Amino acid sequence: MILGIGTDLANIERIQGTLDRFGDRFKNRVFTELEQRKAERRKDVAGTYAKRWAAKEACSKALGTGLAMGIAWKDMSVSNLRTGQPIMHVTGWAKERLDKMTPKGHEATIHVTLTDDHPWAQAFVVIEALPISHDPATPG
């Protein structure tokens, strides 16, 4: 069952301008240390930040709140599996919101995809609730 869908489009040049103007102040307010390390290792630093910015916006929309209702930027973060597939992590208020919207007997999974084509970066997030399967041999 789909609990939420969100998408966002970010302008890489706008993110570059924000990085130029605010530098570490911007990075530390919006991105986790892991996200910053990943971005700073990439050739396209601004594009990497823009994709993660878009992912956070898309996730907040999928949670049904946007960023105005208490979710902090760092309550959502993107990392990558060894295959390169991005994965979304939620903590704090975002995790509380996710738990509240997940029906009893289900587990939420957040799917995220990122893409860019200069000057644009895009993210799409789908939150899915899957029934928790019980092993018949396990009581409960």
Side-chain angles (χ1 to χ4, degrees):
M1 142 188 0
I2 302 298
L3 299 179
I5 299 171
T7 188
D8 193 67
L9 186 65
N11 185 288
I12 296 169
E13 292 169 0
R14 180 175 150 249
I15 296 296
Q16 181 64 63
T18 303
L19 289 166
D20 293 344
R21 185 170 177 198
F22 297 104
D24 287 342
R25 190 169 135 212
F26 169 66
K27 290 187 262 187
N28 293 332
R29 179 174 174 251
V30 176
F31 302 100
T32 65
E33 288 181 29
L34 180 65
E35 289 174 313
Q36 290 180 49
R37 282 196 306 271
K38 170 112 179 151
E40 298 299 327
R41 286 193 316 259
R42 304 299 286 287
K43 180 180 177 191
D44 183 10
V45 173
T48 301
Y49 279 123
K51 285 186 280 190
R52 277 148 181 76
W53 170 280
K56 292 168 189 262
E57 288 274 8
C59 185
S60 72
K61 293 171 185 174
L63 289 167
T65 63
L67 285 156
M69 293 183 66
I71 294 177
W73 286 104
K74 288 184 179 181
D75 284 351
M76 301 164 288
S77 65
V78 177
S79 66
N80 297 84
L81 299 175
R82 289 184 188 268
T83 61
Q85 176 185 346
I87 54 174
M88 177 66 70
H89 308 274
V90 291
T91 59
W93 200 91
K95 174 73 168 116
E96 290 174 24
R97 172 69 181 151
L98 180 64
D99 291 345
K100 283 181 185 174
M101 62 191 289
T102 304
K104 185 175 177 140
H106 289 73
E107 184 175 45
T109 301
I110 302 174
H111 305 278
V112 60
T113 186
L114 309 172
T115 191
D116 65 290
D117 186 8
H118 195 86
W120 301 106
Q122 183 178 33
F124 190 74
V125 171
V126 175
I127 302 175
E128 177 183 26
L130 299 170
I132 297 171
S133 59
H134 294 293
D135 182 347
T138 305

